Amino acid sequence: MNTFVRLQNKFKLWLLLGLTALAVGLVLALHPVPQALEYHNFADQRMLWGIPNCLNVLSNFPFVVVGFIGLVAVQRARVAVPVAWMYGTLFIGVLLTGFGSAYYHWRPDNNTLVWDRIPMTLVFMSLLAATVAELVSRRLGLWLFVPLLLLGVWSVLYWHWTELHGHGDLRWYGLVQFYPVLFIPLLLWLYYVPAYNRAIVSLVWVVLWYLMAKGAEALDRQIYEAIGVSGHTLKHLAAAMSTLCLVQMFGRKYRKYS
């Protein structure tokens, strides 16, 4: 039985490594993807109370609130120090996303967009490392934690450097943003833990709210013309709900099972 379990665990690890290699290979096979300048042309550009692009700026405030709530939850939880560092970094990323995104929307361009995207990579990569630590191996998750954070930050800085040199390349940032969305549910399936059932429900809501945020972002102008509030403003609110579900997921894991 022990031999079978060891073989099964090796198969899972090789499967994850193979899928990761495939994802990296697909990125390398793609042509560089520059940032479309139209991205900065948001539907709602109204100045209110002296604030340019006001609703797109102010709708980032929930990230600050959720990030603070998450940090309080980590401080109060009975959780191993390495995992606490990972979730603490995650919620610091959420909090900084509020400030970075507000700064970007105050003056939208590629230079300010850097400060919007870097904090988001902290969220993606911390969650990925924490999930590996919880389900696969605490040592592996801790070993991956800092390299994943560096990869996330590098992906944004590399994109910005390539834009400055006239050949923008978003491929690696795209991998950092979307790979965890696919990889983490796979980890939960391969390394299923019954005690995490309620936390998995929260994770499902994380994904659903995130998908709603991306949908609202894609329909920015259509939503604005229909209801007078832009899709991008709603995107911020939906994404903040997604991060609030991360706080709920953390609480459901460690309030009872730490």
Side-chain angles (χ1 to χ4, degrees):
M1 182 63 179
N2 289 336
T3 302
F4 174 75
V5 171
R6 285 197 297 270
L7 289 173
Q8 188 179 48
N9 287 336
K10 285 184 178 180
F11 171 77
K12 292 176 182 178
L13 284 173
W14 280 110
L15 175 63
L16 295 173
L17 288 172
L19 291 174
T20 302
L22 177 62
V24 171
L26 289 174
V27 168
L28 292 172
L30 294 173
H31 293 294
V33 180
Q35 178 65 63
L37 292 179
E38 300 82 43
Y39 178 82
H40 307 301
N41 186 28
F42 299 104
D44 188 356
Q45 300 182 20
R46 292 174 293 179
M47 176 179 286
L48 303 172
W49 309 299
I51 302 174
N53 309 305
C54 181
L55 293 184
N56 282 344
V57 170
L58 295 183
S59 57
N60 286 288
F61 179 69
F63 289 114
V64 179
V65 175
V66 172
F68 179 76
I69 293 171
L71 288 172
V72 171
V74 172
Q75 191 274 329
R76 292 179 175 177
R78 296 173 53 201
V79 56
V81 172
V83 177
W85 274 103
M86 293 173 194
Y87 277 101
T89 303
L90 187 160
F91 294 124
I92 287 172
V94 172
L95 189 152
L96 292 178
T97 294
F99 291 112
S101 183
Y103 173 57
Y104 162 64
H105 283 285
W106 189 284
R107 183 169 56 86
D109 60 31
N110 280 350
N111 293 323
T112 55
L113 185 55
V114 171
W115 302 105
D116 181 6
R117 285 177 168 166
I118 285 179
M120 287 194 290
T121 68
L122 301 183
V123 178
F124 304 142
M125 297 292 94
S126 296
L127 181 59
L128 179 56
T131 306
V132 171
E134 291 165 332
L135 296 179
V136 182
S137 162
R138 183 162 293 177
R139 179 181 296 179
L140 178 60
L142 185 59
W143 183 81
L144 288 173
F145 179 48
V146 173
L148 284 175
L149 291 180
L150 293 175
L151 173 64
V153 173
W154 172 83
S155 72
V156 178
L157 296 179
Y158 171 75
W159 156 71
H160 187 54
W161 181 84
T162 58
E163 291 287 354
L164 292 175
H165 288 78
H167 50 87
D169 189 356
L170 275 169
R171 290 177 299 168
W172 296 107
Y173 175 71
L175 179 68
V176 165
Q177 184 179 18
F178 292 108
Y179 184 59
V181 176
L182 301 174
F183 194 77
I184 290 172
L186 179 60
L187 284 176
L188 290 167
W189 177 65
L190 290 173
Y191 297 90
Y192 173 69
V193 177
Y196 281 8
N197 279 346
R198 295 183 66 207
I200 291 172
V201 172
S202 295
L203 183 63
V204 170
W205 279 107
V206 169
V207 174
L208 289 176
W209 278 111
Y210 185 74
L211 292 176
M212 284 188 278
K214 300 305 287 185
E217 179 182 36
L219 297 173
D220 180 36
R221 188 164 299 278
Q222 294 91 324
I223 293 174
Y224 180 64
E225 292 174 352
I227 65 175
V229 176
S230 74
H232 206 88
T233 295
L234 296 181
K235 173 217 173 177
H236 291 158
L237 300 179
M241 284 298 300
S242 179
T243 57
L244 184 61
C245 291
L246 283 175
V247 178
Q248 186 181 49
M249 181 186 74
F250 175 81
R252 285 178 165 178
K253 286 178 181 178
Y254 292 107
R255 189 180 302 125
K256 185 174 180 181
Y257 301 111
S258 56

